[in-house]
Amino acid sequence: MNLRPANPADAAALAELGARSFVAKFGHMYTPQDLEDFLADSHSEAKVAKEIAEPAMRVLLAEEDGALLGFCKLVMACGWPEHARHERVVELKQLYTDPETTGRGIGAALMDRALEIGREHGAGEMQLSVWSGNDGAQKFYARYGFGKVADIHFMVGEQRDEEFLYARML
């Protein structure tokens, strides 16, 4: 497995994997319209291309033999300043793996590198949000020393999801 920064040519594949992964895990929770609106806004090729080009964001890919296995997105700024415990905070925006490749250590490799990138950036804390019903992701993040610091919410179309803000010091 190879980890590398995304480039503009990766936008279509990232958008496709992001949408497919989201639908596989959470698609059943939403009305068709809410899901369609959310995917068009959050996982479009244009949105992903803009994120790749954004200087305040790092998009990291995991691939093997040219196939995209997963990715993570780091915002080099604090997403929830009211809950920050350090003056410099980064946000792990997404960490997705291909639903067909779960359990191969892809998420762990991406998380390890995301933590390194945060430290290299001079951050003292990393924040992320996780759906309150996603026990598997919560356990994964807990293994990395993340803990719940607040109750927050996340909108998918008109639906409000209850989420947890997790954070850890770097």
Side-chain angles (χ1 to χ4, degrees):
M1 178 173 36
N2 178 46
L3 299 181
R4 67 169 176 85
N7 64 58
D10 298 312
L14 277 165
E16 187 279 328
L17 177 57
R20 185 165 43 90
S21 296
F22 187 88
V23 169
K25 185 73 174 179
F26 306 112
H28 67 281
M29 297 171 44
Y30 306 106
T31 66
Q33 189 62 56
D34 281 347
L35 183 60
E36 181 182 326
D37 292 347
F38 175 76
L39 294 175
D41 180 53
S42 295
H43 293 287
S44 70
E45 185 175 344
K47 169 78 180 264
V48 173
K50 189 175 180 179
E51 290 171 335
I52 292 169
E54 172 58 52
M57 189 170 228
R58 306 291 183 277
V59 181
L60 182 65
L61 307 182
E63 58 186 6
E64 185 176 72
D65 298 326
L68 181 60
L69 304 176
F71 66 89
C72 68
K73 297 176 182 176
L74 268 163
V75 178
M76 308 315 281
C78 186
W80 296 273
E82 66 276 19
H83 300 292
R85 299 172 295 174
H86 193 271
E87 62 195 47
R88 194 165 209 178
V89 181
V90 294
E91 176 191 355
L92 181 64
K93 193 73 170 169
Q94 295 173 349
L95 193 159
Y96 286 12
T97 59
D98 187 314
E100 303 297 318
T101 62
T102 329
R104 292 187 42 202
I106 299 159
L110 288 165
M111 177 58 83
D112 289 341
R113 184 64 185 122
L115 292 168
E116 288 174 10
I117 291 170
R119 285 186 205 99
E120 290 166 2
H121 182 67
E125 182 179 17
M126 183 178 286
Q127 298 176 331
L128 60 90
S129 72
V130 59
W131 177 52
S132 60
N134 192 346
D135 296 333
Q138 291 171 38
K139 289 176 185 171
F140 174 82
Y141 295 129
R143 287 196 305 270
Y144 280 88
F146 285 87
K148 180 182 170 186
V149 295
D151 291 314
I152 58 173
H153 69 274
F154 183 79
M155 297 301 294
V156 175
E158 298 297 316
Q159 182 171 318
R160 176 185 161 131
D161 288 344
E162 299 308 313
E163 298 234 343
F164 299 143
L165 177 62
Y166 272 38
R168 69 158 274 181
M169 304 309 282
L170 297 179

